[in-house]
Amino acid sequence: MHPTTLVIGGCRSGKSRHALEMAHAAPARRKLFVATCEPADGEMDERVRRHQQERGPSWHTVEAPLELAAAILQAATAHDVAVVDCLTLWLSNLLLAHPKDPAAIDSRVEALCDVLAAPPCPLLLVTNEVGSGIVPENALARRYRDLVGQTNQRVAAACRQVVWMVAGIAVPIKTAPLG
Amino acid sequence: MHPTTLVIGGCRSGKSRHALEMAHAAPARRKLFVATCEPADGEMDERVRRHQQERGPSWHTVEAPLELAAAILQAATAHDVAVVDCLTLWLSNLLLAHPKDPAAIDSRVEALCDVLAAPPCPLLLVTNEVGSGIVPENALARRYRDLVGQTNQRVAAACRQVVWMVAGIAVPIKTAPLG
Amino acid sequence: MHPTTLVIGGCRSGKSRHALEMAHAAPARRKLFVATCEPADGEMDERVRRHQQERGPSWHTVEAPLELAAAILQAATAHDVAVVDCLTLWLSNLLLAHPKDPAAIDSRVEALCDVLAAPPCPLLLVTNEVGSGIVPENALARRYRDLVGQTNQRVAAACRQVVWMVAGIAVPIKTAPLG
């Protein structure tokens, strides 16, 4: 079975860079980058441009702000490795698209876990830890924080490897069983 | 001496579930759940109900919003294992009950550490990491953050084992000495 | 080459205490404490006084709110070990001093990394993880969070050892190569 890896860490902990380096290190000719963000404002635009520049031209990029599982399944068969960056923005998009329909969000998370159970190619997923600060005063922020934490747990359980990033350093916290 | 374990992690990192699983794995017939929260609002009520449902009927629950050490000592002798969930809510209750009396809070933390030095049964304590975000603008939140961090240090020093939770994965960071 | 160690963790995770204990454990006669804060308000004053008391009289303290690399180079040659506490306050000072000049901040971070590449004495640097909470609503806080995370990565890459602090427990996540 293809390996699946979750890369989790705080903001600016080097998660994306580490996932890209892992993908580069693999003998992968055709590399897929699945971006979950919709470039919506100036701050995000600039970040997206910078990230594309850092990746270089050897990557094929698709955007999947909402239907992530379908996008991976459709594009990944033509690629040797795929990086999904990142689950936190995807969950933010889902929460904005379905503010009163938790089941709609849940079914998409379930679909992603199904993909991870039978991955079409090696998959590297990037996500943020957002729950280690003070409880936010804003109710939506609390709901988002719960959703991200619960999803991170489900995805980590479905992945064979999990890496915890601190200051650019990759700490393996779940390793694939041998064989 | 009975083992003592601190389970620490961010919000929705799987702390409570892990503590319950550790208690289930032990050969413990009579299981005690020490809840530190006072079900006060709808959001919390719902969480409490969900947690009780997840635990199942084999647990005896006591509530200890303030006098945690006394509650553990009183109830634990009749049980084979106890889970305390969680220290962060307990500290929040203490800060609200004694807003101008740090010594009153400190003496309760000290009493808990005394219990951990001579535990009446195997103890599993759950707490949150709340200090890895941006400094809060609110002065009370900063005080709370300091109190939680300092208490986590004291309790971790008094426990034989400490487990760091990330996305549902338990990372042992302090392990009991042999023998 | 002299060892260089980054001690990173959340607020009240025991970072400063651990760095001081590492310095005490080394056979260091003349100990330097490089404080990056400018005692500006009551809350900070009190913390500074408490920290000085905890260190004891065997330490020589210099203050380096902005020109950290120069301060280390100048003072460290007369000392056997130096603790820098902390990078997060230093970056906050730099951001306030150069709000519209990222290059000015960048050159100071670069200068610190140059010092770490050829340290004048064993160096222990303390920094905070600030990126594991919810995205702050405040734009300046987001900029600060990015700056701290990026700097932590650069400094961690330049240090031979990195220690992650959780509840007072030191978890080594980057260890010096032998020899």
Side-chain angles (χ1 to χ4, degrees):
Chain A
M1 208 175 77
H2 294 300
T4 47
T5 306
L6 181 67
V7 182
I8 182 171
C11 164
R12 294 281 173 263
S13 61
K15 306 178 297 297
S16 299
R17 191 182 44 70
H18 182 70
L20 293 174
E21 283 176 6
M22 283 183 72
H24 277 297
R29 232 171 8 103
R30 300 162 304 162
K31 295 189 284 267
L32 174 67
F33 188 85
V34 184
T36 57
C37 61
E38 301 176 281
D41 58 44
E43 202 174 343
M44 190 58 80
D45 262 348
E46 195 269 326
R47 189 171 284 203
V48 167
R49 259 199 307 277
R50 186 161 38 77
H51 280 174
Q52 282 185 335
Q53 216 171 1
E54 285 170 10
R55 281 198 296 280
S58 68
W59 287 81
H60 175 219
T61 300
V62 298
E63 281 171 26
L66 294 170
E67 305 303 335
L68 180 55
I72 296 174
L73 284 180
Q74 193 183 345
T77 47
H79 292 85
D80 301 311
V81 68
V83 168
V84 177
D85 193 356
C86 63
L87 299 187
T88 13
L89 271 173
W90 173 58
L91 293 169
S92 169
N93 296 336
L94 285 175
L95 201 54
L96 290 173
H98 307 284
K100 297 183 174 177
D101 188 359
I105 300 176
D106 190 70
S107 70
R108 266 119 183 137
V109 173
E110 195 62 36
L112 175 63
C113 290
D114 289 346
V115 170
L116 291 169
C121 75
L123 291 176
L124 293 146
L125 300 95
V126 173
T127 194
N128 278 67
E129 171 62 59
V130 301
S132 293
I134 280 289
V135 179
E137 290 176 37
N138 180 306
L140 183 62
R142 286 199 300 276
R143 224 182 114 196
Y144 175 66
R145 197 168 83 128
D146 282 357
L147 174 64
V148 169
Q150 286 159 345
T151 304
N152 284 345
Q153 283 189 53
R154 290 166 73 177
V155 172
C159 280
R160 288 174 66 193
Q161 302 183 82
V162 180
V163 174
W164 169 243
M165 298 298 301
V166 180
I169 295 161
V171 184
I173 58 173
K174 178 180 179 180
T175 47
L178 290 174
Chain B
M1 207 174 78
H2 295 300
T4 48
T5 306
L6 180 67
V7 182
I8 182 171
C11 164
R12 295 280 175 262
S13 61
K15 306 179 297 296
S16 300
R17 191 181 46 71
H18 182 71
L20 293 174
E21 282 177 5
M22 284 183 73
H24 277 296
R29 231 169 12 100
R30 300 164 305 162
K31 295 188 284 267
L32 173 68
F33 189 85
V34 184
T36 57
C37 61
E38 302 175 282
D41 57 45
E43 202 175 343
M44 191 58 80
D45 263 349
E46 197 269 323
R47 189 171 286 204
V48 167
R49 257 198 309 276
R50 187 160 39 76
H51 280 175
Q52 283 185 336
Q53 217 172 359
E54 286 170 9
R55 282 198 295 279
S58 69
W59 288 79
H60 175 218
T61 299
V62 298
E63 280 171 27
L66 294 170
E67 304 303 334
L68 181 56
I72 295 173
L73 284 179
Q74 192 184 342
T77 48
H79 292 85
D80 301 311
V81 69
V83 167
V84 177
D85 193 356
C86 62
L87 300 186
T88 12
L89 271 174
W90 173 57
L91 293 169
S92 170
N93 296 336
L94 285 175
L95 201 54
L96 290 173
H98 307 284
K100 294 181 175 178
D101 188 359
I105 301 176
D106 190 71
S107 70
R108 267 121 184 133
V109 174
E110 195 62 36
L112 175 64
C113 290
D114 289 346
V115 170
L116 291 169
C121 76
L123 292 175
L124 293 146
L125 300 96
V126 173
T127 194
N128 278 67
E129 170 63 58
V130 301
S132 293
I134 280 289
V135 180
E137 289 177 37
N138 180 307
L140 182 62
R142 285 200 300 277
R143 222 181 118 197
Y144 174 67
R145 197 169 83 128
D146 282 356
L147 174 64
V148 169
Q150 285 159 346
T151 305
N152 284 345
Q153 283 189 53
R154 290 166 74 177
V155 172
C159 280
R160 288 174 66 195
Q161 301 184 81
V162 180
V163 174
W164 169 244
M165 299 297 300
V166 180
I169 295 161
V171 184
I173 58 173
K174 178 181 178 181
T175 48
L178 290 173
Chain C
M1 207 176 77
H2 294 300
T4 46
T5 305
L6 180 67
V7 182
I8 182 170
C11 166
R12 295 281 174 261
S13 61
K15 306 177 299 293
S16 300
R17 191 182 45 70
H18 182 71
L20 294 173
E21 283 176 6
M22 283 185 74
H24 277 296
R29 231 169 11 100
R30 300 164 305 161
K31 293 189 285 269
L32 173 68
F33 189 85
V34 183
T36 57
C37 60
E38 301 175 283
D41 57 46
E43 201 175 345
M44 190 58 80
D45 262 348
E46 196 269 325
R47 188 171 285 203
V48 167
R49 258 198 310 276
R50 185 160 39 77
H51 280 174
Q52 282 184 336
Q53 219 171 356
E54 285 170 10
R55 281 199 295 280
S58 69
W59 287 80
H60 176 219
T61 298
V62 298
E63 280 170 28
L66 294 170
E67 305 302 335
L68 180 56
I72 295 173
L73 284 179
Q74 192 184 343
T77 47
H79 292 86
D80 301 311
V81 68
V83 168
V84 176
D85 193 356
C86 63
L87 300 187
T88 12
L89 272 174
W90 173 57
L91 292 170
S92 169
N93 296 337
L94 285 174
L95 201 54
L96 290 173
H98 306 284
K100 296 182 173 176
D101 189 358
I105 301 176
D106 190 71
S107 69
R108 267 122 183 134
V109 173
E110 195 61 36
L112 175 64
C113 291
D114 289 346
V115 170
L116 292 168
C121 76
L123 291 176
L124 293 145
L125 300 96
V126 173
T127 194
N128 279 67
E129 171 63 58
V130 301
S132 293
I134 281 289
V135 180
E137 289 176 37
N138 179 307
L140 182 62
R142 286 200 300 277
R143 222 182 117 195
Y144 175 66
R145 197 169 82 128
D146 282 354
L147 174 63
V148 169
Q150 285 159 346
T151 304
N152 284 346
Q153 284 190 53
R154 290 166 72 176
V155 172
C159 280
R160 288 174 66 193
Q161 302 184 80
V162 180
V163 174
W164 170 242
M165 298 297 301
V166 180
I169 295 161
V171 184
I173 59 172
K174 179 181 178 180
T175 47
L178 291 174

